[in-house]
Amino acid sequence: MLPDGKMCPLVTRPSSKSGPKTLPVVIIGNGPSGICLSYLLSGYTPYFKRHSVHPHPILQRKLEEAPEVSVLDQDLEYLSEGLEGRSHSPVALLFDTLLRPDTDFGGTEESVLTWWHEPDRAIPHLVLGRNAPGGAWHSIEGSMVTLSKGEWMGLPDLPFKEWLKQKRRGLRNNRATAEDIAQYYQHYVMKKGLQKNFRCGTVVTSVRKVRAESISNHTQKDLQEDGDSLWNSNEKSPEVFQVDGFFKTMEGDKELFSIYAENVVLATGTYDNPTWLGVKGENLSYVHHQLSALEEAVKNNSVGIMSDPVLIVGAGLTAADAILFAHHCNIPVIHVFRRRVTDPGLIFNQLPKMMYPEYHKVHQMMKEQTAACAGPYECYISLPEHHVLSFGKDKKCILQDKNGCQTAYKISTALVLTGSNPNLSFLPNNGIDLAIDSDQPVSSKRNPIDVDPFTYECTQEKGLYALGPLAGDNFVRFVQGGALAAASSLVKKANKNPP
């Protein structure tokens, strides 16, 4: 649903009688990456704002060399050379510093970009998403507070803080709630007039390459059987991507669609598939892999102050959110994680204490309230350097420590919150062939899709792009650089002679 209550218009399979139309671009995923790319492909064009002064003197000199040329048309590798920051992506650092010049130093300098709407530069495209614009932000419990500063959650040319002021609300500790973020992304799509490009409630089931000449001559079944390789590579004939899927009608039925595109952008994020431990009994009904299960259990009074402990597995921020929620509801918790509390790789050891007091509190609990050493926190036990061996039907969980000692704990429910992986089942071989290590599944942290750092085009498949966590960019402020890189590449493809 769109914010005004209307369903996004949806796509049906083109008629083969007249020959199906091929779109220049189809974007799969309507979270921040997809929204930002749609904005850039809709003719909204960034230029260096005349008389602006960027605090990075070398970048300032480069920007002054061609202020009349859009950033999209410039050499992004040249502009981003020498920039340093909290991302490994040079274009992510570039776009971030153009939008928020001194934000890492606590500054509030205005963006050095000005945005012009040039409709003649727009590239026709569609954005396909399961939910309303905003993607996975609609699946996160609304009161949860973002890790990043609120202003870092904003998209180009509509500062998040300004939108929040219009709602007569402020940021809590400089951070925003998930509900605010989800609403902001929906508002952004409407405000910028992008809704005509968005198709909500769509599920993509297949993306593959087909020969352009075969589209109007074969049935869908023929196309699926056509060709030898996973991607149907055939250099003798021009190729396009065939995107198949379905959408749910107002009556709840599934209606199939096929779209053909010259370029496909993967922007699906990694929220789809929670990571499993792979231990015995993990599929039992009391074992869950999402924080929402604990919230539901509290609402249903199936866990409470008098119940057996809730087992929380994991040492990331989602596990910390679950601990905070349980602590607030006085629910007893057994907290299991593999690392040492002092491990520098633990996220809590990387967060400033002043900015994240609630996560610092969880870290304190993890250090001070172990089974071997009772601390000041009631209803909580920390078990570092432990892992789960099995879950039993009697709700007994077997844990093992680093020395091999095993202990059984009676629990009420278990939450395995050890991260999530992308769902790329719609790609040949689940997209594994596109990853940096093509022998391992795609993982945003360990094995992202291998892309060109200045175009975000997949190195293994031309015409296919990957943005956001799929390409290793895990924060909203940095995923926008990937959108800039992809948009620049797609604009240059559409116009072989940029300024």
Side-chain angles (χ1 to χ4, degrees), residues 24 67 86 106 121-122 170 208 220 254 278 308-309 313 334 365 367 369 381 396:
R86 299 185 186 184
R121 289 176 61 103
R208 59 190 304 239
Q220 185 169 351
K254 290 182 181 179
D308 287 323
V313 184
I334 297 171
M365 292 165 69
K367 287 188 284 190
Q369 190 87 8
I381 296 174
K396 282 186 179 176

Side-chain angles (χ1 to χ4, degrees), residues 146-208:
T146 61
L147 173 63
S148 297
K149 284 183 175 183
E151 60 259 39
W152 293 349
M153 307 303 292
L155 296 175
D157 202 32
L158 184 61
F160 178 74
K161 264 189 175 178
E162 285 185 17
W163 174 82
L164 208 56
K165 279 180 188 173
Q166 292 171 6
K167 308 253 312 174
R168 299 188 177 174
R169 288 212 298 283
L171 293 168
R172 193 171 86 204
N173 219 18
N174 280 326
R175 290 151 70 207
T177 66
E179 181 180 15
D180 283 336
I181 297 298
Q183 290 180 4
Y184 164 79
Y185 291 143
Q186 283 187 287
H187 174 79
Y188 187 93
V189 168
M190 297 296 288
K191 179 78 173 174
K192 299 299 183 182
L194 309 178
Q195 65 271 24
K196 63 183 180 296
N197 302 315
F198 280 69
R199 304 294 184 264
C200 308
T202 59
V203 177
V204 173
T205 56
S206 170
V207 175
R208 59 190 304 239

Side-chain angles (χ1 to χ4, degrees), residues 154-440:
L155 296 175
D157 202 32
L158 184 61
F160 178 74
K161 264 189 175 178
E162 285 185 17
W163 174 82
L164 208 56
K165 279 180 188 173
Q166 292 171 6
K167 308 253 312 174
R168 299 188 177 174
R169 288 212 298 283
L171 293 168
R172 193 171 86 204
N173 219 18
N174 280 326
R175 290 151 70 207
T177 66
E179 181 180 15
D180 283 336
I181 297 298
Q183 290 180 4
Y184 164 79
Y185 291 143
Q186 283 187 287
H187 174 79
Y188 187 93
V189 168
M190 297 296 288
K191 179 78 173 174
K192 299 299 183 182
L194 309 178
Q195 65 271 24
K196 63 183 180 296
N197 302 315
F198 280 69
R199 304 294 184 264
C200 308
T202 59
V203 177
V204 173
T205 56
S206 170
V207 175
R208 59 190 304 239
K209 266 192 170 175
V210 295
R211 291 198 299 274
E213 65 187 25
S214 68
I215 293 175
S216 58
N217 299 327
H218 296 109
T219 65
Q220 185 169 351
K221 184 172 183 294
D222 289 335
L223 286 172
Q224 289 176 337
E225 292 174 348
D226 189 25
D228 324 287
S229 75
L230 290 170
W231 286 101
N232 273 357
S233 180
N234 184 340
E235 294 179 6
K236 294 181 181 178
S237 170
E239 295 171 320
V240 295
F241 292 96
Q242 179 178 329
V243 181
D244 296 324
F246 65 86
F247 61 89
K248 290 184 179 177
T249 65
M250 297 294 283
E251 295 75 31
D253 299 323
K254 290 182 181 179
E255 191 162 332
L256 302 179
F257 69 82
S258 286
I259 310 169
Y260 299 96
E262 295 166 14
N263 302 278
V264 169
V265 182
L266 306 174
T268 54
T270 62
Y271 197 73
D272 291 327
N273 282 344
T275 305
W276 283 47
L277 301 173
V279 300
K280 182 181 177 183
E282 194 172 3
N283 59 345
L284 291 169
S285 61
Y286 69 91
V287 183
H288 306 280
H289 296 81
Q290 290 184 321
L291 175 55
S292 56
L294 179 58
E295 295 156 3
E296 196 63 34
V298 170
K299 284 180 189 174
N300 297 337
N301 294 315
S302 56
V303 297
I305 190 168
M306 300 303 294
S307 63
D308 287 323
V310 170
L311 180 77
I312 295 175
V313 184
L317 297 178
T318 307
D321 286 334
I323 291 163
L324 290 166
F325 182 79
H327 192 65
H328 176 73
C329 299
N330 295 313
I331 296 168
V333 168
I334 297 171
H335 183 200
V336 179
F337 49 100
R338 287 179 174 269
R339 294 176 185 257
R340 291 176 292 108
V341 179
T342 54
D343 189 323
L346 208 63
I347 184 65
F348 307 103
N349 292 317
Q350 303 170 27
L351 298 176
K353 294 177 184 178
M354 294 296 289
M355 189 171 169
Y356 303 99
E358 76 279 33
Y359 291 137
H360 176 56
K361 179 181 178 180
V362 171
H363 195 209
Q364 271 188 317
M365 292 165 69
M366 292 164 65
K367 287 188 284 190
E368 298 175 14
Q369 190 87 8
T370 64
C373 178
Y377 304 101
E378 294 182 14
C379 303
Y380 173 85
I381 296 174
S382 167
L383 296 175
E385 298 182 271
H386 280 65
H387 64 275
V388 177
L389 281 184
S390 65
F391 297 101
K393 292 180 180 177
D394 56 358
K395 292 195 174 181
K396 282 186 179 176
C397 175
I398 309 297
L399 305 179
Q400 182 171 298
D401 68 12
K402 62 179 179 178
N403 299 315
C405 296
Q406 298 179 14
T407 311
Y409 288 88
K410 185 79 164 69
I411 61 175
S412 59
T413 189
L415 291 174
V416 178
L417 303 173
T418 54
S420 58
N421 293 308
N423 179 4
L424 298 175
S425 59
F426 56 87
L427 294 178
N429 200 24
N430 292 299
I432 291 175
D433 306 304
L434 305 173
I436 290 176
D437 181 352
S438 58
D439 292 326
Q440 298 295 324

